[in-house]
């Protein structure tokens, strides 16, 4: 199993090197930097929003993905289970997410109309507000 994980990781790295990542990557870094959320999990927390943003731009790929995964409800149920959390973000951290996205190549690579302000709105929609003075609270509950 260790060898299979190694090869999966290797091929994943080759893929990212070839095509880059989308907006979940820079947004996830802030959850990692400020809240200690593992980076893969932090990216996954934004993945559903990324798929909802990108898949309509590629109807053939969307249909193939949904066919392979058993449909939209089944696909998003997996994300729900793997990304269970009680994270809350401050308004300031949501602003930092927007700022991080302003110069990120990931923003430009995202399919459809996506902007740093939309990234901030996604973060504000996904996570409740923290108590004053706290940038991030809670964590991943897997």
């Amino acid at each position: 199993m260790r060898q299979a994980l190694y090869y999966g990781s290797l091929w994943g790295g080759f893929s990212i090197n070839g095509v880059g990542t989308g907006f979940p990557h820079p947004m996830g870094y802030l959850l990692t930097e400020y809240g200690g959320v593992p980076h893969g999990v932090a990216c996954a927390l934004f993945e559903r929003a990324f798929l909802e943003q990108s898949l309509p731009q590629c109807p053939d790929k969307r249909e193939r993905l949904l066919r392979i995964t058993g449909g939209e409800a089944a696909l998003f149920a997996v994300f729900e289970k793997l990304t269970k959390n009680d994270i809350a973000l401050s308004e300031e951290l949501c602003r930092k997410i927007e700022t991080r996205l302003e110069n990120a190549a990931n923003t430009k690579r995202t399919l459809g109309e996506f902007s740093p302000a939309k990234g901030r709105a996604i973060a504000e929609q996904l996570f409740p507000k923290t108590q004053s003075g706290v940038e991030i609270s809670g964590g991943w509950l897997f």
Side-chain angles (χ1 to χ4, degrees):
M1 180 162 171
R2 186 178 295 237
Q3 187 174 11
L5 288 171
Y6 167 76
Y7 282 116
S9 174
L10 184 66
W11 284 107
F14 287 153
S15 298
I16 288 173
N17 188 52
V19 298
T21 60
F23 72 76
H25 201 73
M27 291 173 75
Y29 269 126
L30 282 130
L31 300 184
T32 300
E33 293 165 11
Y34 287 88
V37 177
H39 184 61
V41 173
C43 293
L45 292 170
F46 297 105
E47 190 64 22
R48 179 177 180 156
F50 177 74
L51 290 173
E52 289 172 341
Q53 165 76 30
S54 301
L55 287 179
Q57 311 304 315
C58 310
D60 293 344
K61 290 179 182 179
R62 179 185 184 278
E63 292 309 313
R64 181 169 182 244
L65 175 65
L66 295 180
R67 188 175 59 253
I68 290 169
T69 60
E72 191 172 289
L75 173 64
F76 291 142
V78 170
F79 279 110
E80 196 71 31
K81 287 179 184 175
L82 294 176
T83 60
K84 187 174 181 182
N85 72 87
D86 65 354
I87 295 171
L89 304 180
S90 68
E91 284 187 44
E92 178 59 26
L93 193 54
C94 289
R95 277 194 291 277
K96 288 178 181 178
I97 286 173
E98 183 176 7
T99 301
R100 179 77 56 101
L101 289 170
E102 286 174 358
N103 297 313
N106 318 69
T107 304
K108 297 175 187 81
R109 277 194 291 270
T110 299
L111 299 175
E113 293 184 27
F114 183 77
S115 67
K118 187 167 186 178
R120 177 181 177 174
I122 288 168
E124 291 172 340
Q125 180 183 17
L126 287 175
F127 306 106
K129 295 282 183 266
T130 60
Q131 301 298 322
S132 63
V134 177
E135 294 260 36
I136 184 171
S137 65
W140 178 45
L141 302 175
F142 184 70

